Amino acid sequence: MTMKLIHFPMTRSIRVAWAIYELGLDVEIETRPFEREKLKEPEYLALNPVGKTPVFLEDGKPMLESVAIIEYLSNKYADGRLSRGPKDSDYADYLQFMEFGEAGMGAYIGMLAGQTAILPKEQRIEAMKIWSQNETKNCLNFLEKHLTDREYLLDEFSLADISVGYALFLIKITRNGELMDDATKAYFERLTARDAWKKVSALEPA
Ligand SMILES: N[C@@H](CCC(=O)N[C@@H](CS)C(=O)NCC(=O)O)C(=O)O
């Protein structure tokens, strides 16, 4: 069995590299520069037909969805470490926050990133910017309430923190960090103080 992650710094492949380091898995990580036009070239589209990051390859077979990949890696190669199953009392919270990081927050943060950082200024639409800010804030309020008396989303660090942690990272790198309240900022600091996060941050294209 050979496993490889094609990793692009700053993008959702961070979730996969982060989980690989947290779980101590033997996966080759090939780091490439994030150049969006290259993701639309035939060589890359053959691996990821939607032209997005990440791509994880198991014996050459690609998997594309970052949150699904980390759950797969834990259950298949790490005895479910950092994951939860139906017999665990915190399974409902676990599943909810795994999905919340991408399905719940991802679209609004993507829109926010587009309207505040990625699109050229003349293509931005003020109403879309305000909508994305409000919806992102709405998500952050939910998160903040949950984090009031907790260090992590469950009683201890789990893959759910990796799912949501990347969403917070995206808010930060698009310079929207001020939308986060103090509890969420402190939570993000805790996440990024982890050794595995530091290792991911050090990954550079060859
Ligand atoms: N739901 C997918 C989203 C993948 C995604 O949107 N990746 C972004 C980078 S974070 C991307 O590749 N964007 C390039 C583009 O849209 O051209 C996942 O979680 O893996």
Side-chain angles (χ1 to χ4, degrees):
M1 177 68 58
T2 62
M3 293 192 282
K4 176 173 168 175
L5 167 69
I6 304 182
H7 169 61
F8 299 82
M10 316 295 272
T11 77
R12 280 162 171 84
S13 58
I14 284 179
R15 286 193 179 117
V16 184
W18 189 0
I20 288 168
Y21 288 135
E22 293 279 0
L23 295 169
L25 299 178
D26 185 13
V27 178
E28 180 195 347
I29 299 180
E30 177 191 324
T31 306
R32 299 185 185 178
F34 181 48
E35 294 161 351
R36 292 181 69 208
E37 38 326 319
K38 291 229 167 111
L39 303 183
K40 315 301 176 205
E41 289 176 357
E43 179 260 344
Y44 190 80
L45 289 173
L47 300 174
N48 184 333
V50 288
K52 307 268 180 204
T53 88
V55 178
F56 167 75
L57 298 151
E58 186 189 51
D59 282 341
K61 184 177 184 300
M63 233 184 127
L64 317 177
E65 281 293 331
S66 59
V67 175
I69 298 167
I70 62 176
E71 179 77 10
Y72 181 77
L73 286 175
S74 165
N75 286 328
K76 190 155 179 197
Y77 296 104
D79 296 324
R81 212 146 37 81
L82 303 183
S83 175
R84 294 292 185 275
K87 292 192 178 129
D88 295 308
S89 58
D90 49 5
Y91 183 48
D93 270 348
Y94 172 76
L95 265 189
Q96 176 151 282
F97 282 109
M98 281 293 271
E99 296 295 327
F100 189 64
E102 183 62 21
M105 301 181 79
Y108 300 124
I109 297 173
M111 203 195 320
L112 180 69
Q115 295 298 329
T116 59
I118 298 172
L119 287 172
K121 283 203 169 111
E122 65 280 5
Q123 289 178 22
R124 296 181 196 170
I125 300 166
E126 187 62 16
M128 296 290 279
K129 180 177 123 184
I130 293 169
W131 183 24
S132 61
Q133 281 170 332
N134 289 342
E135 292 294 347
T136 301
K137 190 67 195 145
N138 190 33
C139 291
L140 288 169
N141 288 343
F142 172 61
L143 209 54
E144 176 203 338
K145 279 207 187 96
H146 188 80
L147 286 169
T148 313
D149 51 359
R150 285 182 181 83
E151 290 215 337
Y152 297 108
L153 294 170
L154 306 183
D155 285 346
E156 58 189 8
F157 180 81
S158 72
L159 297 182
D161 296 299
I162 293 184
S163 175
V164 168
Y166 179 74
L168 298 181
F169 175 69
L170 205 47
I171 292 175
K172 271 210 94 138
I173 58 168
T174 55
R175 300 185 183 192
N176 289 291
E178 282 317 304
L179 291 175
M180 291 187 220
D181 78 328
D182 288 346
T184 312
K185 282 181 188 160
Y187 166 65
F188 185 70
E189 300 268 307
R190 271 194 295 285
L191 295 182
T192 53
R194 297 182 70 82
D195 287 345
W197 174 275
K198 289 181 193 156
K199 277 171 131 181
V200 177
S201 303
L203 290 171
E204 301 265 2

Short mmCIF file of all heavy atoms in Angstrom, two decimals, residues 11-12 15 34 36 39-40 51-54 64-67 102 166, ligand 1:
data_model
loop_
_atom_site.label_atom_id
_atom_site.label_comp_id
_atom_site.label_asym_id
_atom_site.label_seq_id
_atom_site.Cartn_x
_atom_site.Cartn_y
_atom_site.Cartn_z
N THR A 11 -3.93 25.88 1.54
CA THR A 11 -5.23 25.38 1.07
C THR A 11 -5.75 24.24 1.95
O THR A 11 -5.07 23.80 2.88
CB THR A 11 -5.14 24.86 -0.38
OG1 THR A 11 -4.51 23.57 -0.35
CG2 THR A 11 -4.35 25.80 -1.27
N ARG A 12 -6.92 23.72 1.57
CA ARG A 12 -7.56 22.67 2.38
C ARG A 12 -6.72 21.40 2.50
O ARG A 12 -7.02 20.56 3.34
CB ARG A 12 -8.93 22.34 1.78
CG ARG A 12 -10.01 23.36 2.17
CD ARG A 12 -11.17 23.23 1.23
NE ARG A 12 -12.34 23.99 1.61
CZ ARG A 12 -12.52 25.28 1.31
NH1 ARG A 12 -11.58 25.98 0.72
NH2 ARG A 12 -13.65 25.88 1.65
N ARG A 15 -5.61 20.34 6.00
CA ARG A 15 -6.34 19.41 6.89
C ARG A 15 -5.73 18.00 6.83
O ARG A 15 -5.56 17.33 7.83
CB ARG A 15 -7.81 19.32 6.48
CG ARG A 15 -8.65 20.52 6.84
CD ARG A 15 -10.13 20.19 6.66
NE ARG A 15 -11.00 21.29 7.01
CZ ARG A 15 -11.81 21.91 6.15
NH1 ARG A 15 -11.87 21.53 4.88
NH2 ARG A 15 -12.57 22.91 6.56
N PHE A 34 0.68 26.71 -4.81
CA PHE A 34 -0.75 26.84 -5.13
C PHE A 34 -0.91 27.86 -6.26
O PHE A 34 -0.91 29.06 -6.04
CB PHE A 34 -1.52 27.28 -3.88
CG PHE A 34 -3.00 27.42 -4.09
CD1 PHE A 34 -3.73 26.42 -4.72
CD2 PHE A 34 -3.68 28.55 -3.65
CE1 PHE A 34 -5.11 26.53 -4.92
CE2 PHE A 34 -5.05 28.68 -3.84
CZ PHE A 34 -5.77 27.67 -4.47
N ARG A 36 -3.58 28.48 -9.16
CA ARG A 36 -4.92 27.97 -9.52
C ARG A 36 -4.98 27.49 -10.95
O ARG A 36 -5.66 26.50 -11.25
CB ARG A 36 -5.97 29.05 -9.26
CG ARG A 36 -6.13 29.32 -7.79
CD ARG A 36 -7.17 30.36 -7.50
NE ARG A 36 -8.51 29.92 -7.79
CZ ARG A 36 -9.50 30.75 -8.13
NH1 ARG A 36 -9.28 32.04 -8.21
NH2 ARG A 36 -10.69 30.27 -8.38
N LEU A 39 -4.16 23.91 -11.54
CA LEU A 39 -5.15 22.91 -11.09
C LEU A 39 -6.15 22.59 -12.21
O LEU A 39 -6.93 21.65 -12.10
CB LEU A 39 -5.93 23.42 -9.88
CG LEU A 39 -5.14 23.83 -8.63
CD1 LEU A 39 -6.08 24.25 -7.52
CD2 LEU A 39 -4.25 22.70 -8.16
N LYS A 40 -6.14 23.40 -13.27
CA LYS A 40 -7.09 23.19 -14.38
C LYS A 40 -6.39 22.54 -15.58
O LYS A 40 -6.97 22.41 -16.65
CB LYS A 40 -7.75 24.51 -14.81
CG LYS A 40 -8.22 25.41 -13.66
CD LYS A 40 -9.26 24.75 -12.74
CE LYS A 40 -9.60 25.69 -11.57
NZ LYS A 40 -10.09 25.05 -10.37
N GLY A 51 -10.63 20.04 -10.20
CA GLY A 51 -9.56 21.04 -10.26
C GLY A 51 -9.37 21.80 -8.95
O GLY A 51 -9.15 23.02 -8.94
N LYS A 52 -9.48 21.07 -7.84
CA LYS A 52 -9.32 21.71 -6.52
C LYS A 52 -8.25 20.96 -5.73
O LYS A 52 -7.86 19.85 -6.08
CB LYS A 52 -10.63 21.61 -5.72
CG LYS A 52 -11.85 22.13 -6.43
CD LYS A 52 -12.09 23.57 -6.14
CE LYS A 52 -13.32 24.06 -6.87
NZ LYS A 52 -13.31 25.48 -7.08
N THR A 53 -7.86 21.51 -4.61
CA THR A 53 -6.98 20.82 -3.70
C THR A 53 -7.84 20.30 -2.54
O THR A 53 -8.86 20.93 -2.24
CB THR A 53 -5.87 21.73 -3.14
OG1 THR A 53 -6.36 22.38 -1.97
CG2 THR A 53 -5.47 22.79 -4.16
N PRO A 54 -7.50 19.23 -1.88
CA PRO A 54 -6.33 18.38 -2.05
C PRO A 54 -6.58 17.21 -3.00
O PRO A 54 -7.70 17.03 -3.48
CB PRO A 54 -6.11 17.84 -0.64
CG PRO A 54 -7.50 17.70 -0.08
CD PRO A 54 -8.31 18.83 -0.69
N LEU A 64 -10.69 13.12 -2.87
CA LEU A 64 -10.63 14.58 -3.05
C LEU A 64 -11.13 15.44 -1.89
O LEU A 64 -10.74 16.59 -1.77
CB LEU A 64 -11.47 14.99 -4.28
CG LEU A 64 -11.36 14.12 -5.54
CD1 LEU A 64 -12.31 14.63 -6.59
CD2 LEU A 64 -9.94 14.09 -6.04
N GLU A 65 -12.04 14.93 -1.11
CA GLU A 65 -12.68 15.79 -0.09
C GLU A 65 -11.87 15.76 1.20
O GLU A 65 -11.72 14.71 1.84
CB GLU A 65 -14.12 15.33 0.17
CG GLU A 65 -15.11 15.79 -0.88
CD GLU A 65 -15.33 17.30 -0.89
OE1 GLU A 65 -15.18 17.95 0.17
OE2 GLU A 65 -15.64 17.82 -1.97
N SER A 66 -11.41 16.92 1.63
CA SER A 66 -10.45 16.96 2.75
C SER A 66 -11.00 16.33 4.03
O SER A 66 -10.29 15.59 4.71
CB SER A 66 -10.00 18.40 3.00
OG SER A 66 -11.10 19.24 3.31
N VAL A 67 -12.26 16.60 4.36
CA VAL A 67 -12.79 16.09 5.63
C VAL A 67 -13.02 14.58 5.53
O VAL A 67 -12.74 13.83 6.48
CB VAL A 67 -14.09 16.84 6.02
CG1 VAL A 67 -14.70 16.24 7.28
CG2 VAL A 67 -13.77 18.32 6.24
N GLU A 102 -16.61 22.30 7.04
CA GLU A 102 -16.61 22.46 5.58
C GLU A 102 -18.01 22.76 5.05
O GLU A 102 -18.25 23.81 4.46
CB GLU A 102 -16.04 21.19 4.93
CG GLU A 102 -15.90 21.26 3.42
CD GLU A 102 -14.95 22.34 2.94
OE1 GLU A 102 -14.08 22.81 3.70
OE2 GLU A 102 -15.09 22.76 1.76
N TYR A 166 -9.17 24.59 10.07
CA TYR A 166 -8.80 25.12 8.76
C TYR A 166 -9.73 26.26 8.35
O TYR A 166 -9.29 27.26 7.76
CB TYR A 166 -8.77 24.04 7.66
CG TYR A 166 -8.42 24.70 6.34
CD1 TYR A 166 -7.10 25.11 6.11
CD2 TYR A 166 -9.40 25.05 5.42
CE1 TYR A 166 -6.77 25.81 4.96
CE2 TYR A 166 -9.08 25.76 4.27
CZ TYR A 166 -7.77 26.12 4.05
OH TYR A 166 -7.44 26.85 2.92
N1 LIG B 1 -14.85 20.60 -0.28
C1 LIG B 1 -13.50 20.56 -0.81
C2 LIG B 1 -13.14 21.99 -1.24
C3 LIG B 1 -11.83 22.04 -2.01
C4 LIG B 1 -11.46 23.48 -2.37
O1 LIG B 1 -12.33 24.34 -2.58
N2 LIG B 1 -10.14 23.77 -2.45
C5 LIG B 1 -9.70 25.10 -2.83
C6 LIG B 1 -8.47 25.53 -2.04
S1 LIG B 1 -8.72 25.62 -0.33
C7 LIG B 1 -9.27 25.13 -4.28
O2 LIG B 1 -8.70 24.17 -4.75
N3 LIG B 1 -9.50 26.24 -5.00
C8 LIG B 1 -9.01 26.39 -6.33
C9 LIG B 1 -10.04 26.90 -7.28
O3 LIG B 1 -11.22 26.97 -6.89
O4 LIG B 1 -9.68 27.20 -8.40
C10 LIG B 1 -12.56 20.02 0.29
O5 LIG B 1 -12.83 20.25 1.47
O6 LIG B 1 -11.57 19.34 -0.04
#
